[in-house]
PDB file of all heavy atoms in Angstrom:
ATOM      1  N   ASN A  24      46.274 115.497  46.025  1.00 42.00           N
ATOM      2  CA  ASN A  24      46.228 114.064  46.266  1.00 42.00           C
ATOM      3  C   ASN A  24      47.441 113.539  47.008  1.00 42.00           C
ATOM      4  O   ASN A  24      47.470 112.381  47.391  1.00 42.00           O
ATOM      5  CB  ASN A  24      46.089 113.294  44.952  1.00 42.00           C
ATOM      6  CG  ASN A  24      44.673 113.352  44.433  1.00 42.00           C
ATOM      7  OD1 ASN A  24      43.744 113.580  45.188  1.00 42.00           O
ATOM      8  ND2 ASN A  24      44.509 113.158  43.146  1.00 42.00           N
ATOM      9  N   PRO A  26      50.068 113.437  50.231  1.00 48.00           N
ATOM     10  CA  PRO A  26      50.151 113.855  51.628  1.00 48.00           C
ATOM     11  C   PRO A  26      51.301 114.819  51.811  1.00 48.00           C
ATOM     12  O   PRO A  26      52.281 114.771  51.083  1.00 48.00           O
ATOM     13  CB  PRO A  26      50.419 112.547  52.371  1.00 48.00           C
ATOM     14  CG  PRO A  26      51.054 111.668  51.376  1.00 48.00           C
ATOM     15  CD  PRO A  26      50.475 112.057  50.041  1.00 48.00           C
ATOM     16  N   LEU A  30      56.828 119.067  57.376  1.00 48.00           N
ATOM     17  CA  LEU A  30      56.145 120.058  58.175  1.00 48.00           C
ATOM     18  C   LEU A  30      55.103 120.811  57.363  1.00 48.00           C
ATOM     19  O   LEU A  30      55.287 121.094  56.196  1.00 48.00           O
ATOM     20  CB  LEU A  30      57.159 121.035  58.762  1.00 48.00           C
ATOM     21  CG  LEU A  30      58.253 120.402  59.608  1.00 48.00           C
ATOM     22  CD1 LEU A  30      59.218 121.462  60.072  1.00 48.00           C
ATOM     23  CD2 LEU A  30      57.676 119.653  60.783  1.00 48.00           C
ATOM     24  N   VAL A  35      44.349 117.448  60.733  1.00 96.00           N
ATOM     25  CA  VAL A  35      44.275 115.991  60.755  1.00 96.00           C
ATOM     26  C   VAL A  35      43.342 115.514  61.859  1.00 96.00           C
ATOM     27  O   VAL A  35      43.038 116.240  62.791  1.00 96.00           O
ATOM     28  CB  VAL A  35      45.667 115.339  60.960  1.00 96.00           C
ATOM     29  CG1 VAL A  35      46.602 115.659  59.813  1.00 96.00           C
ATOM     30  CG2 VAL A  35      46.270 115.735  62.292  1.00 96.00           C
ATOM     31  N   ALA A  36      42.920 114.266  61.706  1.00 97.00           N
ATOM     32  CA  ALA A  36      42.163 113.575  62.744  1.00 97.00           C
ATOM     33  C   ALA A  36      43.092 112.564  63.387  1.00 97.00           C
ATOM     34  O   ALA A  36      43.908 111.943  62.707  1.00 97.00           O
ATOM     35  CB  ALA A  36      40.969 112.857  62.135  1.00 97.00           C
ATOM     36  N   TYR A  38      42.849 109.060  65.137  1.00 97.00           N
ATOM     37  CA  TYR A  38      41.875 107.980  65.284  1.00 97.00           C
ATOM     38  C   TYR A  38      42.517 106.795  65.989  1.00 97.00           C
ATOM     39  O   TYR A  38      43.679 106.449  65.727  1.00 97.00           O
ATOM     40  CB  TYR A  38      41.351 107.519  63.922  1.00 97.00           C
ATOM     41  CG  TYR A  38      40.414 106.336  64.034  1.00 97.00           C
ATOM     42  CD1 TYR A  38      39.089 106.516  64.414  1.00 97.00           C
ATOM     43  CD2 TYR A  38      40.867 105.044  63.819  1.00 97.00           C
ATOM     44  CE1 TYR A  38      38.236 105.439  64.564  1.00 97.00           C
ATOM     45  CE2 TYR A  38      40.021 103.957  63.964  1.00 97.00           C
ATOM     46  CZ  TYR A  38      38.700 104.161  64.339  1.00 97.00           C
ATOM     47  OH  TYR A  38      37.864 103.083  64.492  1.00 97.00           O
ATOM     48  N   LEU A  76      34.917  94.915  65.335  1.00 94.00           N
ATOM     49  CA  LEU A  76      33.946  95.425  64.381  1.00 94.00           C
ATOM     50  C   LEU A  76      34.671  95.845  63.096  1.00 94.00           C
ATOM     51  O   LEU A  76      35.731  96.465  63.164  1.00 94.00           O
ATOM     52  CB  LEU A  76      33.230  96.632  64.995  1.00 94.00           C
ATOM     53  CG  LEU A  76      31.922  97.078  64.397  1.00 94.00           C
ATOM     54  CD1 LEU A  76      30.867  95.979  64.525  1.00 94.00           C
ATOM     55  CD2 LEU A  76      31.434  98.325  65.124  1.00 94.00           C
ATOM     56  N   ARG A  81      32.313 101.062  62.034  1.00 96.00           N
ATOM     57  CA  ARG A  81      32.599 101.782  63.272  1.00 96.00           C
ATOM     58  C   ARG A  81      32.088 103.223  63.166  1.00 96.00           C
ATOM     59  O   ARG A  81      32.376 103.915  62.197  1.00 96.00           O
ATOM     60  CB  ARG A  81      34.094 101.784  63.562  1.00 96.00           C
ATOM     61  CG  ARG A  81      34.660 100.400  63.762  1.00 96.00           C
ATOM     62  CD  ARG A  81      36.149 100.488  64.003  1.00 96.00           C
ATOM     63  NE  ARG A  81      36.767  99.183  63.915  1.00 96.00           N
ATOM     64  CZ  ARG A  81      38.080  99.001  63.815  1.00 96.00           C
ATOM     65  NH1 ARG A  81      38.901 100.050  63.814  1.00 96.00           N
ATOM     66  NH2 ARG A  81      38.576  97.786  63.739  1.00 96.00           N
ATOM     67  N   ILE A 150      66.064 114.225  88.259  1.00 73.00           N
ATOM     68  CA  ILE A 150      64.875 114.762  88.926  1.00 73.00           C
ATOM     69  C   ILE A 150      64.029 113.632  89.490  1.00 73.00           C
ATOM     70  O   ILE A 150      63.553 113.700  90.625  1.00 73.00           O
ATOM     71  CB  ILE A 150      64.057 115.644  87.959  1.00 73.00           C
ATOM     72  CG1 ILE A 150      64.831 116.932  87.665  1.00 73.00           C
ATOM     73  CG2 ILE A 150      62.679 115.958  88.529  1.00 73.00           C
ATOM     74  CD1 ILE A 150      64.249 117.762  86.545  1.00 73.00           C
TER      75      ILE A 150
END
Side-chain angles (χ1 to χ4, degrees):
N24 283 337
L30 303 177
V35 297
Y38 176 79
L76 198 62
R81 298 178 192 166
I150 290 170

